[in-house]
Amino acid sequence: MMSRNKKLLALECIAVIIFLFYMLPFLLVIINSSKPSLMIIMDPLAFPKNPSQLITNIKAILTSPNVRYASSFVSTLVITVVSVGLLVLNSSMAAWVLVRTKSKLSNAVFLVFVAAMVIPFQVVMFPLISWFHLIEVKLGLFPGPFRLLQNYPGIIFAYLGFGSSLSIFLFHGFIKSVPLELEEAATIDGCSKPATFFKIVFPILTPITFTVVILNGIWIWNDFLLPLLVLGSGNSVQTLPLAVASFVGSFVKRWDMILTATLMTMLPIVIVFLILQKHIIKGIVEGAVKG
């Protein structure tokens, strides 16, 4: 019994050390966002002497003409909400069709989606932008408000493509646990295929839907590279990570502004994650056990 208690104590100590190791960057951001830039450079580990400096930094960010934090927040919110909504809708329907269609073709299509999960984004990012440029500039398709580069449709379309693989994989495992008899009973009662999905199947997918929403929401909200490639810097449509990067100059780095803007950027998604984290665990566990 004593040996077992010692092992548990050792595992708990290791878990605490790992937790502190991963939380240290967040702690440094919180501490240094309440200090002026010179103090951050001189002693980044020191606690702030004047915590009200955080309010001063926030006011400076909100009133900065170069950052446009408010419009960047709105753009990030629009891109995240629309992209996640389309991902949930399309991925859930695609996964349902792939599960209920028993054929070699459906299995092959599902394997293609699973295989796409291991392809690094860096491999396809330049071909993606080249295709966007070809479609928009040379072919003249999607003009005006529907243009792909430096506009909402292009970045949302890209997120829809890159996020579908994981989303379909998660939905696929969960839908296999949904009893087929429920759908057969709905068909006997006269429900069409769309009605059967939205009235019978989709409400049952609530746990895994929360998981898909949070995982994709965190990724899209914090993403930097894809918005930089599709939207560009200095564009009217700008996400929060791009706004934070605008404080990093070639010769001067405003560390007080950078860290305060980073804190303001990550705080909303952290709050959402803490509220919905139980749904993430529940959705993944149920999908793994039932699937």
Side-chain angles (χ1 to χ4, degrees):
M1 181 65 70
M2 291 297 294
S3 177
R4 183 180 180 183
N5 291 335
K6 290 181 179 179
K7 290 180 179 179
L8 291 175
L9 181 60
L11 291 175
E12 289 177 357
C13 292
I14 294 174
V16 170
I17 293 173
I18 295 175
F19 173 77
L20 294 176
F21 177 77
Y22 278 100
M23 290 302 296
L24 182 61
F26 296 99
L27 181 61
L28 290 176
V29 169
I30 295 173
I31 291 175
N32 289 297
S33 60
S34 301
K35 296 191 296 187
S37 184
L38 181 61
M39 186 178 294
I40 296 174
I41 297 173
M42 294 178 61
D43 192 357
L45 298 179
F47 283 90
K49 296 181 180 179
N50 184 18
S52 62
Q53 181 67 35
L54 176 62
I55 306 299
T56 304
N57 294 342
I58 293 176
K59 289 181 180 179
I61 291 172
L62 295 177
T63 56
S64 174
N66 297 326
V67 177
R68 307 190 310 274
Y69 182 86
S71 62
S72 299
F73 181 87
V74 173
S75 297
T76 306
L77 186 64
V78 170
I79 292 171
T80 303
V81 171
V82 175
S83 299
V84 170
L86 291 176
L87 274 171
V88 169
L89 181 63
N90 293 342
S91 300
S92 59
M93 290 191 296
W96 180 60
V97 172
L98 291 174
V99 171
R100 297 307 185 213
T101 304
K102 304 295 183 181
S103 66
K104 293 182 179 180
L105 179 60
S106 64
N107 293 332
V109 172
F110 177 67
L111 290 177
V112 169
F113 279 112
V114 173
M117 294 170 57
V118 301
I119 300 176
F121 168 70
Q122 291 77 7
V123 175
V124 297
M125 61 182 185
F126 287 116
L128 173 70
I129 301 304
S130 299
W131 274 103
F132 277 9
H133 187 270
L134 174 65
I135 293 173
E136 180 177 318
V137 178
K138 295 186 177 181
L139 298 181
L141 302 177
F142 305 108
F146 301 102
R147 67 183 190 275
L148 298 177
L149 294 173
Q150 299 183 345
N151 202 13
Y152 290 111
I155 188 71
I156 292 173
F157 179 76
Y159 280 130
L160 182 61
F162 287 114
S164 294
S165 298
L166 177 60
S167 302
I168 289 175
F169 176 76
L170 293 173
F171 275 119
H172 191 278
F174 196 93
I175 289 175
K176 288 191 295 186
S177 67
V178 178
L180 183 59
E181 291 78 9
L182 293 175
E183 301 174 29
E184 292 174 346
T187 303
I188 294 173
D189 290 339
C191 283
S192 61
K193 286 288 184 180
T196 300
F197 175 76
F198 287 107
K199 293 182 180 180
I200 305 298
V201 179
F202 192 74
I204 302 176
L205 304 180
T206 300
I208 197 64
T209 299
F210 275 110
T211 303
V212 172
V213 167
I214 295 301
L215 292 180
N216 286 293
I218 293 174
W219 160 53
I220 295 173
W221 184 275
N222 296 322
D223 190 28
F224 175 79
L225 185 55
L226 185 57
L228 179 63
L229 294 172
V230 178
L231 299 177
S233 58
N235 184 36
S236 58
V237 180
Q238 182 177 250
T239 61
L240 286 175
L242 296 180
V244 174
S246 64
F247 287 112
V248 182
S250 301
F251 304 100
V252 179
K253 294 179 175 60
R254 297 288 305 277
W255 286 111
D256 51 347
M257 300 292 100
I258 293 172
L259 295 175
T260 304
T262 301
L263 179 63
M264 295 169 63
T265 299
M266 69 180 186
L267 194 59
I269 201 66
V270 168
I271 294 174
V272 173
F273 175 81
L274 292 176
I275 294 174
L276 301 178
Q277 62 176 334
K278 62 178 181 180
H279 296 288
I280 300 177
I281 300 172
K282 181 180 178 182
I284 293 177
V285 170
E286 289 188 8
V289 173
K290 295 179 180 180

